[in-house]
């Protein structure tokens, strides 16, 4: 009797409330899925575009996943992870930013149903990790090696990337342009690395995207200083990039100088004149006849007086060169930036055949061509009829450049059009049957989740997604690895023959990044706000 009346303390204490943890997890998963659903419609060549209106009243039209998510104001922490996910795909591969988010959304959906079945998050996470490694192996086995000398393959993959963009009708022009631009900046000593900072994209309003072209030299969206009737065209130019100011010096601290009579004032003006003249004589002595002057914060880089003297000395002046452009400019001109007048020497100058101002649309640009010993850089002049098209053309061109960069660093091509995803789904499904217990069950679910890509492609193209995906599965089961959705014809064809190809790096990085992100979201069981 005494034993029965004793309270059962241990039982009551061991009960832990798991409801909250499940709520937090499902809230995180729902937030991630909501973000994925927002960009899902803009996947593929027939995807819709998004119009983004910012707080400042600026309007952006795009279907680049990274841009859409970047501009979204996301508050939920797990949804922010999806935004970061598309950013990391943008920096790793440059293309496939929508794909990676849609994939993560589909994986989150299956995780939700697995969690509802009572499987522990850690088990799901480990199974995801294994399937991710397996997927990369399967993709690598499917890939076709490509050589950089095979320009056609590179152009095909660049135009596949451009086909889903707003400017897709110009892909025949922009794809070869992107390929040539990247190939021209590859350093033979480091053939694996392409620095996209060596390709400068200059946007100029007016004309159409058809007028876009590469310039073998330098282009500035600026006009030459016309202040004192200086030259606007210079042949056999010796160019100096200077980082000092050609203007009378100021006191270092805020001081006022009191001038009591005119003789002193004349003396000050005379000194200023002599100071500027002295500088210009030193510049002229080296044979320099074109000056690129960096934008100055402290005081005016040039004054009316110095412009007048420079015009007299027949020196062409381009002022307000941005600070972050200096590195690109000096690399292209093969010269050194000069930080002080005392260091102004002839060997620091760059040489070009022609520097001239050209009228373009309603404005003017400055072109420097025929540069001697030009560095491995290239400039692309992008034109567009309005600002929205211009910005979108620049973003699309950047994606195409990134695709070519992927192929340079990892020289394998893979079919597009949902073919690799269905093949992965099929092989992972077969692999899941070999595994035991929960793991096999989880892998099977992930295999099904990968079908979201072909499903969405078909859905966005207005086809019947269920019929298309079923037929696609059937083709792959018969051993047609490269069968994919041909959106233009609305049926299943061999996608490699249709020239729809993408770099292997885009697919592998999309899958690894998406699984990493989902595993992270799964492992979170509480959100602690710190005040």
């Amino acid at each position: 009797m005494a034993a029965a009346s004793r309270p059962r303390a241990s039982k009551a204490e061991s009960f832990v409330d798991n409801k909250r943890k499940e709520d937090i997890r499902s809230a995180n998963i729902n937030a991630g899925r909501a973000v994925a659903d927002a960009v899902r419609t803009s996947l593929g060549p027939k995807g819709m575009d998004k119009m983004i209106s910012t707080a400042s009243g600026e309007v952006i039209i795009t279907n680049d996943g990274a841009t859409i998510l970047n501009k979204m104001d996301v508050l939920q922490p797990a949804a922010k992870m999806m935004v970061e996910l598309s950013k990391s795909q943008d920096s790793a591969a440059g293309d496939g930013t929508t794909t990676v988010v849609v994939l993560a959304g589909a994986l989150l959906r299956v995780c939700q149903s697995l969690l509802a079945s009572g499987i522990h998050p850690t088990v799901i996470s480990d199974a995801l990790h294994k399937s991710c490694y397996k997927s990369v192996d399967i993709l690598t086995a499917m890939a076709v090696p490509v050589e950089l000398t095979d320009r056609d393959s590179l152009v095909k993959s660049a135009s596949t990337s451009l086909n889903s963009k707003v400017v897709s009708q110009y892909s025949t022009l922009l794809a070869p342009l992107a390929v040539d631009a990247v190939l021209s900046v590859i350093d033979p000593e480091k053939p694996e690395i392409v620095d996209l900072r060596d390709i400068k994209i200059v946007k100029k309003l007016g004309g159409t995207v058809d007028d876009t072209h590469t310039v073998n030299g330098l282009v500035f969206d600026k006009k030459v200083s016309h202040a004192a009737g200086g030259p606007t065209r210079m042949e056999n130019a010796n160019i100096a990039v200077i980082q000092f100011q050609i203007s009378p010096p100021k006191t270092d601290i805020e001081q006022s100088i009191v001038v009591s009579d005119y003789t002193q004032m004349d003396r000050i003006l005379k000194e200023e004149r002599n100071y500027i003249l002295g500088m210009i004589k030193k510049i002229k002595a080296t044979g320099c006849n074109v000056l690129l002057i960096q934008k100055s914060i402290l005081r005016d880089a040039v004054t009316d007086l110095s412009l007048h003297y420079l015009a007299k000395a027949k020196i062409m002046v381009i002022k307000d060169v941005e600070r972050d452009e200096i590195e690109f400019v000096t690399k292209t001109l093969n010269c050194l930036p000069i930080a002080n007048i005392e260091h102004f020497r002839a060997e620091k100058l760059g040489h070009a055949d022609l520097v001239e101002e050209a009228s373009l649309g309603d404005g003017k640009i400055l072109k420097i061509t025929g540069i001697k010993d030009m560095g491995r850089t290239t400039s692309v002049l992008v034109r567009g009829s309005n600002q929205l098209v211009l910005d979108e053309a620049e973003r699309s061109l950047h994606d195409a450049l990134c695709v070519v960069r992927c192929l340079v660093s990892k020289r394998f091509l893979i079919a597009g059009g949902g073919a690799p995803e269905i093949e992965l789904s099929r092989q992972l499904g077969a692999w899941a049957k070999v595994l035991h217990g929960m793991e096999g069950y989880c892998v099977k679910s992930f295999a099904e989740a990968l079908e979201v890509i072909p499903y969405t492609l078909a859905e966005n193209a207005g086809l019947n997604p269920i019929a298309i995906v079923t037929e696609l599965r059937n083709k792959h089961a018969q051993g047609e690895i490269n069968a994919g959705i041909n959106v233009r014809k609305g049926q299943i064809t061999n996608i490699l023959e249709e020239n729809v190809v993408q770099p292997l790096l885009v697919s592998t990085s999309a899958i690894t990044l998406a699984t990493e992100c989902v595993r992270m979201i799964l492992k979170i069981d509480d959100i602690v706000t710190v005040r």
Side-chain angles (χ1 to χ4, degrees):
M1 185 67 197
S5 66
R6 206 179 297 148
R8 301 222 306 268
S10 59
K11 257 294 191 262
E13 280 162 17
S14 69
F15 171 71
V16 183
D17 178 23
N18 272 329
K19 184 80 186 85
R20 172 144 195 257
K21 291 186 166 55
E22 280 162 21
D23 285 349
I24 294 272
R25 199 173 276 122
S26 90
N28 281 347
I29 289 177
N30 286 335
R33 281 181 61 189
V35 171
D37 289 341
V39 293
R40 216 182 106 169
T41 51
S42 61
L43 181 77
K46 299 275 181 180
M48 299 295 166
D49 302 333
K50 305 274 183 244
M51 187 181 242
I52 305 163
S53 174
T54 58
S56 59
E58 184 192 359
V59 176
I60 299 168
I61 297 176
T62 179
N63 65 1
D64 176 39
T67 312
I68 298 169
L69 292 177
N70 232 334
K71 300 287 178 193
M72 266 189 190
D73 211 6
V74 182
L75 295 174
Q76 217 272 357
K80 276 187 182 155
M81 286 168 69
M82 300 295 267
V83 178
E84 293 299 322
L85 169 68
S86 80
K87 274 190 198 162
S88 50
Q89 171 74 1
D90 199 28
S91 58
D95 196 22
T97 46
T98 318
T99 312
V100 73
V101 178
V102 173
L103 246 178
L107 290 174
L108 286 172
R109 195 186 71 239
V110 295
C111 289
Q112 208 163 15
S113 61
L114 290 172
L115 287 167
S117 317
I119 303 176
H120 195 274
T122 312
V123 177
I124 304 176
S125 173
D126 291 347
L128 245 183
H129 190 55
K130 278 191 175 170
S131 7
C132 171
Y133 272 112
K134 182 79 175 166
S135 305
V136 174
D137 291 345
I138 296 170
L139 283 174
T140 314
M142 277 177 72
V144 186
V146 64
E147 283 304 317
L148 289 187
T149 46
D150 180 7
R151 186 165 172 271
D152 285 353
S153 297
L154 300 180
V155 172
K156 280 176 200 167
S157 60
S159 61
T160 304
S161 158
L162 288 166
N163 276 339
S164 62
K165 304 280 184 269
V166 181
V167 290
S168 57
Q169 69 266 35
Y170 300 111
S171 61
T172 47
L173 165 81
L174 295 178
L177 193 137
V179 172
D180 294 340
V182 172
L183 292 181
S184 67
V185 299
I186 296 177
D187 189 353
E189 289 164 17
K190 292 183 286 222
E192 304 295 312
I193 304 165
V194 174
D195 188 357
L196 287 186
R197 284 174 303 191
D198 289 344
I199 300 170
K200 182 178 167 196
I201 299 178
V202 181
K203 296 184 291 187
K204 191 74 180 153
L205 206 58
T208 59
V209 182
D210 280 324
D211 302 331
T212 301
H213 59 278
T214 48
V215 176
N216 192 15
L218 258 181
V219 178
F220 289 101
D221 187 8
K222 291 183 179 58
K223 50 182 207 246
V224 181
S225 166
H226 289 279
T232 56
R233 175 190 165 96
M234 187 67 70
E235 290 179 12
N236 297 332
N238 297 326
I239 308 167
V241 179
I242 64 170
Q243 295 178 306
F244 57 87
Q245 298 89 1
I246 307 183
S247 58
K250 274 186 177 175
T251 50
D252 285 346
I253 35 182
E254 282 294 320
Q255 281 180 337
S256 51
I257 301 171
V258 181
V259 182
S260 53
D261 62 357
Y262 282 117
T263 49
Q264 284 178 322
M265 205 153 146
D266 285 347
R267 233 178 85 206
I268 291 175
L269 290 171
K270 203 170 176 185
E271 283 298 321
E272 279 187 9
R273 269 205 301 270
N274 288 344
Y275 178 80
I276 292 173
L277 268 173
M279 284 176 109
I280 291 172
K281 278 178 182 159
K282 279 183 184 167
I283 293 172
K284 193 67 186 160
T286 57
C288 161
N289 51 15
V290 177
L291 274 186
L292 297 171
I293 305 179
Q294 182 182 311
K295 216 175 198 168
S296 162
I297 313 162
L298 302 170
R299 61 179 202 252
D300 299 336
V302 281
T303 58
D304 290 347
L305 189 63
S306 56
L307 283 175
H308 169 75
Y309 284 138
L310 284 164
K312 276 265 180 69
K314 295 277 184 288
I315 295 176
M316 189 169 167
V317 180
I318 299 99
K319 52 185 186 182
D320 294 343
V321 177
E322 294 293 338
R323 190 170 287 249
D324 46 8
E325 283 180 9
I326 290 285
E327 189 184 345
F328 179 84
V329 170
T330 49
K331 185 171 180 180
T332 309
L333 291 173
N334 203 358
C335 65
L336 293 169
I338 303 165
N340 194 322
I341 187 71
E342 301 304 325
H343 304 155
F344 208 105
R345 294 192 199 91
E347 57 266 25
K348 290 192 178 181
L349 304 182
H351 307 283
D353 291 344
L354 180 63
V355 179
E356 67 171 341
E357 191 178 61
S359 293
L360 254 198
D362 54 354
K364 294 192 170 177
I365 59 162
L366 179 81
K367 277 188 180 177
I368 302 179
T369 46
I371 300 169
K372 293 186 178 60
D373 307 327
M374 182 172 155
R376 288 188 176 277
T377 61
T378 186
S379 300
V380 181
L381 185 63
V382 179
R383 308 294 305 280
S385 51
N386 63 26
Q387 200 60 43
L388 300 176
V389 174
L390 201 57
D391 291 344
E392 185 56 18
E394 185 197 14
R395 278 189 290 271
S396 309
L397 191 58
H398 176 260
D399 277 11
L401 290 171
C402 288
V403 165
V404 186
R405 182 186 66 179
C406 287
L407 282 174
V408 171
S409 57
K410 198 170 186 182
R411 296 176 188 184
F412 285 99
L413 276 177
I414 196 168
E421 284 82 9
I422 281 284
E423 186 59 24
L424 277 181
S425 177
R426 190 183 68 78
Q427 294 203 27
L428 284 177
W431 184 54
K433 289 175 185 159
V434 185
L435 298 170
H436 299 294
M438 287 293 183
E439 207 169 37
Y441 187 66
C442 293
V443 171
K444 185 171 174 294
S445 299
F446 300 138
E448 284 164 14
L450 287 169
E451 286 176 7
V452 72
I453 300 287
Y455 186 92
T456 311
L457 277 177
E459 196 176 44
N460 288 348
L463 309 170
N464 178 353
I466 296 172
I468 289 276
V469 173
T470 314
E471 193 190 337
L472 196 54
R473 262 199 225 137
N474 188 16
K475 283 267 166 72
H476 277 260
Q478 289 164 13
E480 294 183 30
I481 299 184
N482 294 326
I485 303 171
N486 185 338
V487 183
R488 294 208 181 93
K489 293 181 182 166
Q491 61 202 50
I492 308 289
T493 51
N494 183 337
I495 274 296
L496 275 187
E497 287 167 11
E498 296 284 342
N499 298 338
V500 178
V501 285
Q502 58 188 27
L504 173 64
L505 194 63
V506 172
S507 294
T508 51
S509 96
I511 284 180
T512 42
L513 290 170
T515 43
E516 257 176 33
C517 180
V518 171
R519 285 180 66 204
M520 223 151 146
I521 291 177
L522 271 181
K523 290 277 183 80
I524 297 167
D525 70 348
D526 208 344
I527 295 178
V528 184
T529 43
V530 184
R531 288 274 175 269

